[in-house]
Amino acid sequence: MVIGENLKKKYALISVYDKNKLRYLCSNLIKNNYYLISTGSTGDKIRSMGFKSIDISKITKFKEMFDGRIKTLNPLIYASLLYIRDNKNHKKQFLKLNIPEINIIVVNLYPFEKYYKSKIDNKIIEMIDIGGPSLLRAASKNYKFITPIIKTSDYPKLIANIKKNNGETDMIFRKKMAYKVFKEISRYDKKIAEWLNE
């Protein structure tokens, strides 16, 4: 990638357990000139639908490890999510990394609650999502520049907002989605704490 080229394109990082509405999401993001980055099975699904998607390991230079337990926990990804776009020092550092500038994060969490009800401990523990909440928290902290999406039901709202704003999202929408992220993660973590306290 040519230095500075990473600022000329818009990228959406998609890593979802629930793959419903994925075709709708990808087709509409692409129509609005977004390039897709994805992880593991999400990337496989996107490509099987005929869409192009950059595997996240191409950016991080690390393959997924431990049966997918580690996919997105990498400083290059968090550099893209957390750097302050209008801070000159941040931008200078980011340009040197020569990685995509991520504008949208679409992540839905492992269904812990569903498996919690099964009472099978080894299955429940694998549904404690680590990378998903971390990505969403980072994007939400930087909502002034990045759009975090945690619910499939918000895909149409995302696309409508992008169309309304000529290919971008507006600050009000991003803040609303960041609020939803922290509210949902708080509920998610509470369920995990309840299980651990049994």
Side-chain angles (χ1 to χ4, degrees), residues 88-183:
K88 287 182 180 178
N89 288 329
H90 282 209
K91 183 161 278 190
K92 188 177 178 181
Q93 290 177 64
F94 183 74
L95 281 168
K96 288 179 181 177
L97 296 174
N98 208 26
I99 57 174
E101 183 183 75
I102 298 168
N103 309 97
I104 296 172
I105 283 280
V106 181
V107 176
N108 50 60
L109 307 179
Y110 294 166
F112 176 82
E113 197 166 354
K114 175 184 171 184
Y115 282 80
Y116 173 45
K117 292 172 182 175
S118 75
K119 303 298 181 185
I120 304 170
D121 281 9
N122 63 335
K123 286 188 177 180
I124 296 170
I125 208 159
E126 290 307 320
M127 289 298 113
I128 297 177
D129 204 324
I130 305 300
S134 300
L135 287 173
L136 287 163
R137 286 175 65 89
S140 297
K141 177 175 180 175
N142 214 13
Y143 75 86
K144 286 184 179 179
F145 308 100
I146 299 174
T147 311
I149 302 292
I150 192 170
K151 291 286 193 182
T152 57
S153 57
D154 286 324
Y155 293 177
K157 294 173 191 172
L158 169 66
I159 301 307
N161 198 260
I162 287 172
K163 288 178 179 176
K164 177 185 170 185
N165 293 285
N166 299 313
E168 310 286 345
T169 57
D170 60 55
M171 179 80 78
I172 293 171
F173 179 76
R174 292 195 296 271
K175 189 173 184 181
K176 186 177 180 181
M177 292 299 104
Y179 159 74
K180 188 171 281 194
V181 162
F182 281 107
K183 184 179 179 183

Side-chain angles (χ1 to χ4, degrees), residues 2-195:
V2 178
I3 298 291
E5 190 70 23
N6 50 347
L7 302 184
K8 294 179 182 177
K9 295 178 180 178
K10 299 179 295 186
Y11 291 90
L13 172 55
I14 306 173
S15 182
V16 292
Y17 186 92
D18 181 354
K19 294 175 177 59
N20 287 318
K21 300 183 183 176
L22 197 52
R23 182 183 295 278
Y24 166 84
L25 176 69
C26 294
S27 63
N28 279 284
L29 285 173
I30 290 167
K31 281 178 191 174
N32 286 279
N33 301 313
Y34 281 86
Y35 290 81
L36 309 182
I37 302 168
S38 56
T39 60
S41 62
T42 301
D44 292 340
K45 184 70 174 177
I46 290 172
R47 286 183 285 271
S48 76
M49 293 174 174
F51 303 117
K52 290 182 179 179
S53 181
I54 304 163
D55 196 280
I56 201 164
S57 63
K58 298 276 186 187
I59 298 165
T60 63
K61 309 301 181 192
F62 275 92
K63 291 183 178 180
E64 292 183 13
M65 293 186 284
F66 312 125
D67 301 316
R69 276 189 163 202
I70 298 177
K71 296 189 284 282
T72 57
L73 295 168
N74 185 282
L76 292 179
I77 299 304
Y78 289 89
S80 188
L81 295 179
L82 287 167
Y83 98 92
I84 300 171
R85 286 8 184 198
D86 57 8
N87 180 304
K88 287 182 180 178
N89 288 329
H90 282 209
K91 183 161 278 190
K92 188 177 178 181
Q93 290 177 64
F94 183 74
L95 281 168
K96 288 179 181 177
L97 296 174
N98 208 26
I99 57 174
E101 183 183 75
I102 298 168
N103 309 97
I104 296 172
I105 283 280
V106 181
V107 176
N108 50 60
L109 307 179
Y110 294 166
F112 176 82
E113 197 166 354
K114 175 184 171 184
Y115 282 80
Y116 173 45
K117 292 172 182 175
S118 75
K119 303 298 181 185
I120 304 170
D121 281 9
N122 63 335
K123 286 188 177 180
I124 296 170
I125 208 159
E126 290 307 320
M127 289 298 113
I128 297 177
D129 204 324
I130 305 300
S134 300
L135 287 173
L136 287 163
R137 286 175 65 89
S140 297
K141 177 175 180 175
N142 214 13
Y143 75 86
K144 286 184 179 179
F145 308 100
I146 299 174
T147 311
I149 302 292
I150 192 170
K151 291 286 193 182
T152 57
S153 57
D154 286 324
Y155 293 177
K157 294 173 191 172
L158 169 66
I159 301 307
N161 198 260
I162 287 172
K163 288 178 179 176
K164 177 185 170 185
N165 293 285
N166 299 313
E168 310 286 345
T169 57
D170 60 55
M171 179 80 78
I172 293 171
F173 179 76
R174 292 195 296 271
K175 189 173 184 181
K176 186 177 180 181
M177 292 299 104
Y179 159 74
K180 188 171 281 194
V181 162
F182 281 107
K183 184 179 179 183
E184 184 63 23
I185 289 175
S186 176
R187 190 188 68 79
Y188 188 82
D189 285 344
K190 186 180 178 184
K191 280 292 178 188
I192 294 170
E194 286 172 2
W195 172 65

